Structure formats: C-alpha cells, structure tokens
Amino acid sequence: MENLAVLLPVIGLLVALTNIVTQVVKRVTWDKMPTNVVAVIVAMVLTVAAGIAYCQIKTVSITWYLVVGLIVAGFAVAYAAMFGFDKLREVMNWGGKDG
C-alpha cells in the first residue's frame, strides 16, 4: 500500500510534465504533428524513463512484465494528459464568453 501512495503523485507529476513538454514541442514543430501523437510519445518516454530510473535507484531488476506495465502506465499518463487538459480548458471557459 505504501507504493500506491507514492505512485499516484508520480503519475500526476508525469501528467503535468507531459502537458508542459507537449506544449513546448508543439511550438517548436510549428504544429506540424498532431498534438495527441506528440502527447503519447512524450508520455511514453517520460513514463518509461521514470520507471527505469526508479528501478535503478531501488535496485529492482527490470523484467518484461515491468516494461509492459510501464508502457500501460504511459498510455494512462497520455490519456490523462490529453483529456485532462481539454476538460480543464472547458472548465476555464465555463465562466467566459462561451458560458
């Protein structure tokens, strides 16, 4: 249960970092790539890198099912980053001209 208490804030941090990096990459590529594709790539890279770094720090052996779990977590982070930002933007526009 202790690991779950650490996992949830880490996923939140990865979602925030994915949003930030995706916005920067979008500006650099002049919107030539679809934002969702960029978000998935960034989320995968950040999640797998964070998982491997954690395994190195805690001296956990990296197995195939750990890599699969990191990839699944990467998709979850990408999903939260893509649709969480859209929902946040909807809430922010709620009290504006559209609301």
Side-chain angles (χ1 to χ4, degrees):
M1 196 65 169
E2 178 181 313
N3 291 335
L4 185 61
V6 173
L7 184 64
L8 293 177
V10 168
I11 287 178
L13 178 66
L14 287 171
V15 168
L17 285 174
T18 299
N19 279 330
I20 293 168
V21 173
T22 299
Q23 290 301 319
V24 171
V25 170
K26 258 181 39 179
R27 301 287 184 221
V28 171
T29 61
W30 296 285
D31 296 328
K32 291 184 180 183
M33 288 182 65
T35 305
N36 289 345
V37 172
V38 174
V40 169
I41 292 169
V42 169
M44 286 296 173
V45 169
L46 288 176
T47 303
V48 171
I52 290 173
Y54 177 81
C55 288
Q56 293 295 316
I57 291 168
K58 295 292 186 175
T59 62
V60 174
S61 62
I62 300 172
T63 58
W64 68 270
Y65 50 86
L66 182 66
V67 174
V68 170
L70 288 173
I71 291 171
V72 170
F75 279 114
V77 168
Y79 181 84
M82 287 185 291
F83 297 110
F85 181 73
D86 291 338
K87 294 297 181 187
L88 177 64
R89 193 167 40 178
E90 284 178 18
V91 169
M92 297 303 278
N93 285 335
W94 179 68
K97 296 176 188 176
D98 299 330

